[in-house]
Amino acid sequence: MSKSLPYSMKDVHYDNAKFRQRSFFKVITQNMLTSNLKRECVKCSTGKFLMLLMLCGLAYLMLTRMSSIHPSTDGTAKNVGDQKGAKLIADGSGRLRRLWRKPPRLPPMLTPDEITSRNRSLHNSGNLDVGPNWKARQQRVKEAFIHAWSGYKNYAMGFDELMPLSHRGVDGLGGLGATIIDALDTAMIMGVDEVVSEAGSWIEEHLPERIDGKGQVNLFETTIRIVGGLLSAYHLSGGEQSGNASQNGTKPAVYLENARKLADHLLIAFTSSPSAIPFSDVVLHDRAAHPAPDGLSSTSEVSTLQLEFNYLSSLTGDPKYSLESMKVLEHLKTLPKVEGLVPIYISPHSGEFSGENIRLGSRGDSYYEYLIKVWLQNQGSNWTYLHNMYEESIKGVKHLLVRKSVPNGLVFVGELPYGPQGSVSPKMDHLVCFLPGTLALGATKGITKEKAMRENLLSFEDLENLKLAEDLAKTCFEMYSVTSTGLAPEIVYFNMEGESESGPGGGNKDSKYVNDIIIKPADRHNLLRPETVESLFILFRITEDPKYQKWGWEIFEAFEKYTKVDSGGYSSLDDVTTLPPQRRDKMETFFLGETLKYLYLLLGDTNVIPLDEYVFNTEAHPFPIRRASRKQ
Ligand code: DMJ
């Protein structure tokens, strides 16, 4: 266990089923002691009388205490934690209760009229705790998606991204129509048929020619957004079902053919590199690849291609995509690390890491995410080294990077810009907010915490990681609520004991954390990023705690209020700390591909895309976990 874990382990103990049993044992011991005393007392008749008196007194005390344990006036538990706490106490005193079991006290029966009027007042109260209409809220997210698409379709169809204020399109990702492909599976999940049909037709008509004719694209961005989006569209449109029959519109095979064609172009980044580390850029029409201007690749970029290439190999039956991409992870396994943590740059020429900068934000983030996800995707394989690398890296995160803010103790993940010999920087990118979700997924492997505990599947470390996930999710949520707009900036700094950061806060004076979180002028923008709502979605699925839905809804409302553009689309912001916020004239593709998809899933039926059957790539495109390849 890491020495410097900055938060109390008491909460982890509280959640552990083993500790619950121990308190039950204590109760039994206490009962046995009471029985001994009883035997001594009955030896004399005065003793018998006293004994009777004592028993009556005890029974009275127990009954009055038990009724104070169940204070719920409306008959409902406020949350899972409360229910568990009540059960814990009730179990411990069960023996005494059996002395005199009264029928449970039920609330008085209401007439049908009273029931109707009570329900009406509950729903009109606006209080989230009494049952918001999640279906209606989910519908609002769907409407937001349709609004985002309408702006893109009207002003930027065929371009990578929409500029919603100047009503134009821009090709920031090489010109493969990235918004169309990133948005397609979201439209399928939401059941927005018109968008599915428009996107499908565009892909069929234009994408093949663009794949052959366009110029430079980034290997990572093109793989996660375009290859990933096409593969998930193939699956969700029924491509893997026998006969590959399509309903109306674009046939699933079109998505797979395009994914394969594009991947065939991208493979040159791997095969032309002198090491196992691919070059960062590919020139599509030349079928050539080259390194970034500084000669280096980002560590996260080269290690965030494998889910997509593995799935492509399994769909096409051609192993080359998986083989090339997995060479990267096999090579990374052999490199020296700092307690499982890696520098953010790597050289495709030497195959070695470059520099000492370690962080879980930009250029580092999805290295850690894919270690566990590629392992989850291939549980029947012998790639356990990935799980080992993941476990070691998370220990390293806890030991070297996790710290607590002052004065109010938000748990955050800092950076080591000068390696392990330098000091921790209290800087945290919004990008790091993917980590709570990944930690939770790594702990339970996608099933609910309740089920995992019932089946005794969680190690002490899993519970510790789940606790850290919940703490970090809170921090990520507070990065939103600390600002005037309710939207997080791109980067925050935390005040740490003895090292206070200078700079302004987020502008929301009502937030408890105004003194914990510093936002520097250059970091105040918001690009409609998904990481926090992604983690809220995963944590809700795993813990079943409704607070994650409430937080997600608050974030959605802030997006609606400050980023929605009347003429269509949503805009990034220049500054989340001032009102009204200055807009930035760009709608990133991941707003449709990730942010709105995760919000929609967070507010809806938990059986849709279950986390033990699907793994989401880093751009929120779900791929099925192959049952056949799983050990169990
Ligand atoms: C997305 O393209 C992916 O989630 C990636 O892993 C990180 N950055 C963006 C979203 O913020």
Side-chain angles (χ1 to χ4, degrees):
M1 196 177 68
S2 63
K3 269 183 283 172
S4 63
L5 204 62
Y7 50 87
S8 164
M9 295 303 298
K10 275 185 208 149
D11 294 334
V12 175
H13 293 173
Y14 175 77
D15 270 354
N16 191 334
K18 286 173 195 152
F19 287 83
R20 250 187 251 161
Q21 274 167 13
R22 199 174 290 170
S23 62
F24 183 52
F25 174 75
K26 211 168 152 189
V27 172
I28 293 173
T29 325
Q30 279 164 354
N31 281 344
M32 278 168 58
L33 278 174
T34 317
S35 310
N36 288 338
L37 183 69
K38 194 166 70 180
R39 270 197 298 277
E40 291 302 314
C41 284
V42 289
K43 280 180 186 164
C44 65
S45 57
T46 327
K48 273 184 193 164
F49 177 70
L50 283 174
M51 170 73 194
L52 196 68
L53 260 181
M54 236 175 70
L55 276 174
C56 289
L58 251 174
Y60 173 77
L61 276 175
M62 278 313 299
L63 283 169
T64 47
R65 184 159 162 62
M66 285 311 296
S67 56
S68 72
I69 288 166
H70 300 283
S72 168
T73 48
D74 59 359
T76 57
K78 283 276 183 278
N79 61 42
V80 177
D82 288 350
Q83 273 178 325
K84 280 184 185 154
K87 188 175 180 300
L88 209 160
I89 300 165
D91 282 349
S93 54
R95 294 216 149 193
L96 278 167
R97 267 204 298 162
R98 262 179 245 135
L99 283 175
W100 181 28
R101 184 176 277 161
K102 274 209 323 182
R105 293 176 61 179
L106 297 168
M109 295 274 281
L110 300 177
T111 65
D113 281 354
E114 283 170 327
I115 290 170
T116 319
S117 98
R118 192 185 65 164
N119 286 348
R120 197 175 299 133
S121 71
L122 285 181
H123 290 127
N124 291 339
S125 70
N127 180 350
L128 286 169
D129 285 341
V130 295
N133 186 344
W134 292 114
K135 269 271 159 254
R137 290 181 172 189
Q138 195 191 32
Q139 183 62 26
R140 292 272 313 280
V141 177
K142 184 170 167 177
E143 283 158 16
F145 175 81
I146 293 168
H147 184 80
W149 175 263
S150 79
Y152 172 76
K153 186 184 139 187
N154 290 339
Y155 304 116
M157 190 72 186
F159 285 93
D160 282 333
E161 297 125 335
L162 166 70
M163 297 174 74
L165 304 180
S166 49
H167 296 168
R168 286 187 292 133
V170 59
D171 278 338
L173 294 156
L176 297 176
T179 291
I180 298 172
I181 301 156
D182 228 1
L184 175 57
D185 65 355
T186 307
M188 289 175 173
I189 290 167
M190 293 180 175
V192 189
D193 296 343
E194 210 180 313
V195 175
V196 174
S197 142
E198 286 161 358
S201 305
W202 187 91
I203 289 168
E204 197 161 1
E205 259 176 62
H206 301 285
L207 190 57
E209 147 207 350
R210 293 210 181 181
I211 291 173
D212 287 329
K214 284 290 174 181
Q216 180 174 311
V217 294
N218 174 277
L219 169 67
F220 158 77
E221 299 291 1
T222 311
T223 301
I224 64 167
R225 300 186 204 215
I226 315 291
V227 178
L230 290 167
L231 292 179
S232 147
Y234 173 73
H235 172 77
L236 294 176
S237 59
E240 287 168 276
Q241 278 148 29
S242 54
N244 194 7
S246 89
Q247 312 76 17
N248 303 323
T250 309
K251 290 200 170 25
V254 170
Y255 303 132
L256 182 58
E257 280 157 20
N258 275 285
R260 183 180 197 151
K261 183 181 172 74
L262 181 53
D264 284 339
H265 281 66
L266 297 177
L267 275 180
I268 192 76
F270 299 88
T271 53
S272 64
S273 165
S275 76
I277 301 304
F279 289 134
S280 68
D281 299 303
V282 170
V283 184
L284 291 171
H285 55 56
D286 291 350
R287 290 199 169 228
H290 60 77
D294 59 4
L296 300 172
S297 297
S298 297
T299 304
S300 65
E301 293 194 2
V302 301
S303 56
T304 308
L305 309 160
Q306 291 71 16
L307 284 180
E308 297 78 0
F309 281 73
N310 286 337
Y311 187 35
L312 182 59
S313 275
S314 111
L315 289 175
T316 58
D318 187 339
K320 70 180 176 206
Y321 310 103
S322 177
L323 287 174
E324 286 301 334
S325 69
M326 287 306 292
K327 275 185 203 162
V328 182
L329 297 183
E330 280 148 24
H331 174 75
L332 290 175
K333 177 180 66 172
T334 66
L335 297 182
K337 307 178 183 65
V338 179
E339 299 189 27
L341 306 179
V342 292
I344 58 171
Y345 288 107
I346 190 160
S347 162
H349 298 288
S350 67
E352 302 292 328
F353 288 122
S354 173
E356 291 206 277
N357 196 341
I358 289 172
R359 65 176 179 232
L360 270 79
S362 60
R363 301 182 190 279
D365 49 4
S366 46
Y367 164 78
Y368 305 92
E369 179 186 351
Y370 268 37
L371 289 179
I372 190 68
K373 286 188 173 175
V374 175
W375 178 79
L376 282 171
Q377 181 194 37
N378 300 279
Q379 286 172 55
S381 73
N382 55 1
W383 294 343
T384 41
Y385 72 91
L386 294 171
H387 191 262
N388 298 340
M389 284 164 77
Y390 171 77
E391 280 201 317
E392 194 196 348
S393 71
I394 297 304
K395 279 187 193 145
V397 168
K398 288 188 282 198
H399 183 207
L400 297 173
L401 302 180
V402 172
R403 296 289 181 270
K404 244 178 172 182
S405 71
V406 291
N408 290 304
L410 286 173
V411 176
F412 67 92
V413 179
E415 301 183 356
L416 284 173
Y418 307 105
Q421 308 312 329
S423 55
V424 177
S425 158
K427 165 176 174 277
M428 182 164 140
D429 294 353
H430 182 273
L431 288 167
V432 181
C433 291
F434 82 94
L435 186 61
T438 295
L439 282 170
L441 197 62
T444 72
K445 324 298 184 264
I447 61 174
T448 63
K449 177 183 178 187
E450 194 269 330
K451 186 173 178 204
M453 289 188 72
R454 194 169 6 99
E455 297 183 5
N456 222 357
L457 298 174
L458 300 182
S459 65
F460 181 80
E461 204 162 348
D462 291 329
L463 285 165
E464 192 181 84
N465 292 348
L466 208 44
K467 174 75 172 74
L468 177 58
E470 297 219 51
D471 289 344
L472 288 174
K474 173 166 172 61
T475 301
C476 289
F477 173 67
E478 297 303 342
M479 284 161 60
Y480 284 70
S481 38
V482 80
T483 70
S484 325
T485 54
L487 291 169
E490 180 73 356
I491 298 169
V492 298
Y493 288 76
F494 292 89
N495 270 320
M496 280 200 303
E497 194 71 62
E499 283 177 49
S500 61
E501 282 285 326
S502 60
N508 175 12
K509 298 208 168 48
D510 293 337
S511 166
K512 180 180 166 191
Y513 299 103
V514 274
N515 295 320
D516 293 65
I517 298 178
I518 305 298
I519 302 170
K520 303 201 172 177
D523 306 330
R524 290 172 178 164
H525 49 292
N526 178 298
L527 304 183
L528 312 171
R529 284 198 191 276
E531 290 76 19
T532 295
V533 295
E534 166 186 351
S535 283
L536 298 182
F537 158 66
I538 298 173
L539 273 163
F540 174 64
R541 287 283 180 96
I542 285 175
T543 66
E544 303 172 285
D545 187 335
K547 81 176 173 212
Y548 296 113
Q549 288 187 308
K550 292 176 196 167
W551 291 355
W553 179 249
E554 276 183 41
I555 291 171
F556 174 73
E557 284 193 306
F559 277 129
E560 280 292 283
K561 193 164 178 186
Y562 295 112
T563 70
K564 189 171 187 170
V565 178
D566 288 343
S567 53
Y570 289 76
S571 180
S572 302
L573 301 178
D574 268 340
D575 183 353
V576 293
T577 67
T578 50
L579 290 178
Q582 177 78 29
R583 295 178 170 194
R584 191 170 257 206
D585 201 14
K586 178 91 171 280
M587 181 173 76
E588 299 282 347
T589 77
F590 47 70
F591 185 61
L592 291 90
E594 297 196 68
T595 311
L596 292 176
K597 183 189 288 151
Y598 282 130
L599 281 165
Y600 182 83
L601 291 171
L602 168 67
L603 304 181
D605 185 341
T606 55
N607 295 319
V608 176
I609 317 200
L611 292 178
D612 57 340
E613 288 179 29
Y614 284 86
V615 61
F616 284 84
N617 87 339
T618 195
E619 190 74 7
H621 299 304
F623 305 152
I625 294 171
R626 313 228 127 214
R627 291 266 163 220
S629 67
R630 296 180 82 177
K631 271 182 183 148
Q632 323 163 7

